[in-house]
Amino acid sequence: MPKSKSSSIDPEGVVFLPVSGKLVIARFISAGIGAFLVLAITAVPLILHRSGVWPGYPGWLAWLAPIIVVVILLWEMILIPRQVRAIGYAERDDDLLIRGGIMFRRVMVVPYGRMQYVDVTMGPLERMLGLSTIHLHTASPGTNALLNGLPAAEAGRLREQLSARGEAKLAGL
């Protein structure tokens, strides 16, 4: 089993399994597409200024917005690998633990007996990379858990395992 760093909020003796490293690629692609769209919009004043259509627009301001978008994208690209490494999950006898966060860490505990259904989804990017996302729906809408970046086979196994354990807990076994 892979070892993971323990933090002060991690339960004692629990080993969290990591999600797939391919999630880094998926997040890079998503961030890149989003940044490209925002960059295209923020570059309009620069293009209009440089082409002479909008000569009265301040040149420094025309350059500032695209530069800010690029800086934010670079910062996000630095953080994404660390964010993905922070995500993990652990199956225990009575519940599933989901961990995440770098600066603001969180550990979510989802008791098997509270699960109503387990949903596995794959978007086009996830399908291309062989990843899946598991949605754990509970009785309370505020506590629905999400675990993305799982390999498709592991997501299928986990869905069946969680469903079986949830049914067993509901049946009182």
Side-chain angles (χ1 to χ4, degrees):
M1 282 189 133
K3 289 188 176 184
S4 63
K5 291 182 190 176
S6 178
S7 73
S8 59
I9 63 171
D10 289 346
E12 194 77 25
V14 174
V15 177
F16 285 88
L17 301 173
V19 296
S20 174
K22 291 180 181 179
L23 182 59
V24 172
I25 297 167
R27 288 191 175 181
F28 277 167
I29 292 170
S30 295
I33 291 171
F36 175 76
L37 295 174
V38 173
L39 189 60
I41 292 167
T42 59
V44 169
L46 178 62
I47 294 167
L48 294 175
H49 175 73
R50 298 293 292 169
S51 65
V53 175
W54 199 357
Y57 195 79
W60 67 269
L61 189 56
W63 281 101
L64 184 64
I67 289 172
I68 289 173
V69 170
V70 170
V71 168
I72 290 172
L73 176 66
L74 291 175
W75 179 250
E76 193 173 1
M77 294 298 169
I78 291 169
L79 287 180
I80 286 173
R82 289 193 61 209
Q83 290 171 337
V84 170
R85 281 194 308 268
I87 300 171
Y89 66 99
E91 296 176 76
R92 296 196 302 185
D93 292 337
D94 296 324
D95 49 39
L96 177 74
L97 301 173
I98 300 174
R99 177 182 69 185
I102 298 173
M103 183 179 250
F104 298 99
R105 295 183 176 168
R106 69 171 169 23
V107 175
M108 184 182 305
V109 179
V110 183
Y112 298 132
R114 302 279 297 164
M115 282 189 250
Q116 291 184 328
Y117 63 96
V118 180
D119 195 15
V120 177
T121 60
M122 291 176 94
L125 184 58
E126 288 176 313
R127 194 171 24 258
M128 182 179 80
L129 295 171
L131 300 175
S132 295
T133 298
I134 290 187
H135 301 266
L136 305 171
H137 300 275
T138 63
S140 172
T143 59
N144 291 342
L146 179 75
L147 181 60
N148 57 5
L150 290 174
E154 174 63 8
R157 182 203 67 80
L158 195 56
R159 177 192 60 224
E160 296 305 318
Q161 181 78 12
L162 295 174
S163 296
R165 286 182 175 181
E167 287 176 17
K169 292 292 180 186
L170 284 175
L173 299 176

